[in-house]
Amino acid sequence: MTVTDTHRAIDAVWRIESAKLIAGLARIVHDVGLAEDLAQDALVVALEKWPETGVPDNPGAWLMATAKHRAIDQLRRQKLLERKHEQLGHELDARQDSTVPDLDAAIDDDIGDDLLRLVFTACHPVLSTEARVALTLRLLGGLTTDEIARAFLVPESTIAQRIVRAKRTLADAHVPFEVPRGADLAERMSSVLGVIYLIFNEGYSATAGDDWMRPALCDDALRLGRILAELAPTEPEVRGLVALMEIQASRSRARVGPSGEPVLLLEQDRSRWDQMLIHRGLDALARAEELGGAEGPYAMQAAIAACHARARTGDDTDWPRIAALYERLAQRTPSPVVELNRAVAVAMAYGPAEGLALADKLVSEPSLRNYHLLPSVRGDFLAKLGRMDEARAELERAASLTRNARERELLLSRAAACTGAARTGL
């Protein structure tokens, strides 16, 4: 194996093992930042040794053993052994130096519990949303700072600062490395799911840049969601979120044209939808419903996505059911964006005039003042009603508000079509 091949193998191992490695160490040292530093130290050692010795048969165990020894050295250097001994509650290994705690048993405990603790720590509400996203992708997704920066089109230094500040905030706030219980669990789980779905959405419909989609972010979010579903098998909203992401991700290949241009839902070639992802999504939705979570916000959005997935063509879509689901969702979690989506479904089910009436009620909504999809939706309704000049103005305004170059091109082409239709009297 060449050095290049070994480095590729190390990168693959790190993506797979880093979250478990950091999670196991964080429970031992009670500090997420220190745990990541120890894991990174182990990675550096691997980069130095594996090109010469080859990748070990069990690379994850090798990294854990190396990191464990680094942890022991760290405790020695910082002279925190007495305090750590009390915190960790581990017996000393009689064969080791009496000042060194036996970390073997602690690190070899159920790694699933450790991963779940790491999820809740990285997504703790004490952190800003941006910090939660960056820390989650770094600690659980195994992404480098540069990869996260490129995914979100921000300077690498910005992401690095967010991660450093996030670790410091967790340490200063003495955030416990644990799974919340009782009333805190629902609130904290909501934060975790929100972070994962935010990552997915940024990949599914990029807010800025030259690409309509960033599939790698969708993949990262899906992987995190699937891991969480395994770690928390009785949480219905976890299954609901996984269902939603699986079904939406099934359309990825059909959402982008040959030149990278966006392809809207009703114009997509449904033969390109990934049937395996659809089946996985429908199974996850059924599981969420079995667990009593049919009315959860993510499960309801998954049920809406399932209506599209089950329709062989756009004309076969059960728009009245989708409109009804959006109405229930709006009652469950009131939101101007949900109301805008409901307006689209109502327009498809009952006509553009009905949809426009609902969308017009949102024009004065402060949170949607610079939301490009509101004028985009209104422009579509107005065009269908033959009010081409008004439609063009709305679509041009939408184009001015979006930061995504591909979406801007699409909106301007639709605006130009309105101009042409107005001139010919169509």
Side-chain angles (χ1 to χ4, degrees), residues 122-136 161-163 165-166 169-170 191 195 198:
C123 298
H124 197 283
V126 73
L127 303 175
S128 69
T129 299
E130 293 82 1
R132 290 179 223 172
V133 169
L135 198 59
T136 297
Q161 289 170 4
R162 285 179 189 170
I163 292 172
R165 282 197 297 265
T169 298
L170 291 173
S191 172
V195 166
L198 191 155

Side-chain angles (χ1 to χ4, degrees), residues 83-398:
R83 187 167 58 182
K84 290 294 181 182
H85 175 71
E86 182 180 351
Q87 291 174 350
L88 302 177
H90 299 309
E91 295 181 358
L92 298 180
D93 188 337
R95 293 170 299 173
Q96 292 179 332
D97 181 83
S98 61
T99 61
V100 180
D102 178 8
L103 303 183
D104 290 328
I107 292 181
D108 290 339
D109 281 351
D110 183 4
I111 195 65
D113 290 343
D114 289 339
L115 279 173
L116 196 54
R117 293 184 188 103
L118 186 60
V119 168
F120 280 105
T121 301
C123 298
H124 197 283
V126 73
L127 303 175
S128 69
T129 299
E130 293 82 1
R132 290 179 223 172
V133 169
L135 198 59
T136 297
L137 286 173
R138 177 63 175 261
L139 298 182
L140 290 152
L143 273 67
T144 65
T145 304
D146 176 61
E147 287 171 329
I148 300 169
R150 282 189 280 112
F152 285 90
L153 303 181
V154 297
E156 184 177 357
S157 60
T158 300
I159 295 298
Q161 289 170 4
R162 285 179 189 170
I163 292 172
V164 168
R165 282 197 297 265
K167 294 176 187 175
R168 187 182 304 126
T169 298
L170 291 173
D172 291 346
H174 302 291
V175 171
F177 189 68
E178 64 182 17
V179 176
R181 301 184 183 280
D184 291 338
L185 179 59
E187 179 184 354
R188 294 281 298 281
M189 183 64 80
S190 176
S191 172
V192 171
L193 298 180
V195 166
I196 294 174
Y197 195 41
L198 191 155
I199 294 169
F200 180 86
N201 272 333
E202 185 58 33
Y204 193 69
S205 296
T207 56
D210 296 328
D211 297 317
W212 175 235
M213 291 187 66
R214 297 187 195 124
L217 279 179
C218 292
D219 293 342
D220 286 324
L222 258 175
R223 183 163 56 85
L224 291 172
R226 290 166 182 163
I227 290 171
L228 187 58
E230 292 299 318
L231 298 175
T234 61
E235 290 292 330
E237 269 291 77
V238 176
R239 299 286 178 172
L241 175 60
V242 171
L244 175 59
M245 293 191 297
E246 299 275 16
I247 296 173
Q248 287 185 321
S250 73
R251 309 175 200 150
S252 295
R253 286 180 299 181
R255 294 187 76 241
V256 181
S259 301
E261 71 276 10
V263 181
L264 300 180
L265 178 62
L266 295 180
E267 299 168 3
Q268 290 171 16
D269 177 359
R270 299 191 176 208
S271 69
R272 300 190 68 200
W273 287 5
D274 190 320
Q275 294 302 312
M276 183 187 73
L277 289 178
I278 289 174
H279 289 312
R280 290 181 65 137
L282 295 177
D283 287 345
L285 177 58
R287 180 60 181 148
E289 293 169 345
E290 289 170 5
L291 291 169
E295 295 299 310
Y298 291 112
M300 278 195 276
Q301 292 177 75
I304 291 167
C307 289
H308 294 298
R310 293 185 176 113
R312 296 178 64 85
T313 67
D315 292 338
D316 294 334
T317 307
D318 190 349
W319 287 107
R321 172 167 168 71
I322 293 176
L325 284 167
Y326 270 123
E327 185 171 8
R328 281 166 49 197
L329 182 61
Q331 293 169 353
R332 177 77 167 75
T333 55
S335 158
V337 173
V338 172
E339 287 293 345
L340 183 59
N341 287 329
R342 183 167 79 92
V344 173
V346 166
M348 296 300 298
Y350 307 111
E354 296 288 332
L356 183 62
L358 292 175
D360 285 347
K361 295 178 181 178
L362 300 172
V363 172
S364 59
E365 171 58 46
S367 64
L368 298 184
R369 184 172 293 120
N370 296 313
Y371 187 54
H372 70 284
L373 290 181
L374 176 56
S376 172
V377 166
R378 292 190 73 249
D380 182 58
F381 294 159
L382 290 164
K384 289 177 178 177
L385 291 169
R387 296 160 59 177
M388 295 302 176
D389 289 338
E390 295 171 83
R392 183 191 71 251
E394 285 294 281
L395 292 169
E396 288 176 347
R397 180 168 185 271

